[in-house]
Amino acid sequence: MMREIIDFHTHPYETMGEYSCMYRDSFYLNREEAEAELKAVGITHICGSVIEVGVKKEDWEKEGFAYIQKLNNRALEIAEHFNGYCTPGFHVHPDYVRESCDEIERMHKKGVQLIGELVPYMHGWKDYSNRNFAEILDVAEQYHMIISYHTVEEEAEQMAQMIAEHKNLIFVAAHPGQRVGYEKHIERISRYENAYLDLSGTGLFRYGMLCHGVKKLGSERILFGTDFPITNPGMYVQAVLYEHITDKDRENIFSKNAKRLLNRANTI
Ligand SMILES: [Zn+2]
């Protein structure tokens, strides 16, 4: 039987502007090539939001929430082109509370239940404990959304507050980071039942890190993720395959946990 691998953290793209690879000047895969590449390394499904590289808030502020909604519509379009291979994620923005809440409702009607990866640093906001953002999360909670969010170590307090205030929302933190940040993730996630961690970005290349996480946290709270096309997906798959964990733990991390979360309000 083929192994299922769900990449919970990618940034689907179709245009150069949406292509977040850091070596984009030398290396480009179009959408079809990207799909072939992801499948070749064993990834059977991807999730994530569309981001635009090098665009600052000043550039779209006049457009207001329409800009955010444009990214969300692109996520829907691209997912459609992926034809079942991609679960789209959408953005919300604390400067636009009412619009964000309406967007949650609109996406819910379309069967979308993944918010994020949220990238505050790209959209000109920070602080997850922001009151406007908390209002948006109240609505997300009613619709049983999953929140995938970019993390920075300095905002440990704000992240903890956000999670603690929304016990019925699922929060998936992105990027384990290096050992210090990773330990903080582990500590936070073990405190809150609704907190999870994906493996995207920095961390997984340190040998033994997954073994450590499974030992401290159990494999039920860790989700496979890459951050493709910023990162090389083959490297992440191999890293998980060669960590010294049980097959059952590997299955949880590769697909079972993501399926359990995504099936809560039924899609995939
Ligand atoms: Zn990302």
Side-chain angles (χ1 to χ4, degrees), residues 83-132:
N83 197 18
Y85 185 70
C86 173
T87 295
F90 66 99
H91 301 284
V92 291
H93 198 299
D95 289 355
Y96 308 92
V97 175
R98 191 181 49 78
E99 292 89 339
S100 294
C101 295
D102 289 350
E103 189 72 341
I104 291 171
E105 204 179 318
R106 182 174 82 101
M107 287 296 178
H108 169 78
K109 283 189 185 136
K110 293 182 184 296
V112 182
Q113 54 180 138
L114 176 62
I115 298 180
E117 182 201 10
L118 291 173
V119 285
Y121 69 102
M122 290 185 102
H123 291 163
W125 63 284
K126 54 192 288 190
D127 184 5
Y128 286 116
S129 61
N130 170 315
R131 289 298 88 197
N132 284 357

Side-chain angles (χ1 to χ4, degrees), residues 10-39:
T10 68
H11 296 289
Y13 66 91
E14 267 172 345
T15 66
M16 199 57 172
E18 295 161 349
Y19 181 57
S20 48
C21 172
M22 288 179 185
Y23 294 92
R24 56 216 293 272
D25 48 334
S26 302
F27 174 64
Y28 184 76
L29 299 172
N30 65 31
R31 200 204 54 77
E32 290 82 1
E33 289 166 339
E35 184 174 345
E37 187 93 347
L38 288 160
K39 286 179 175 170

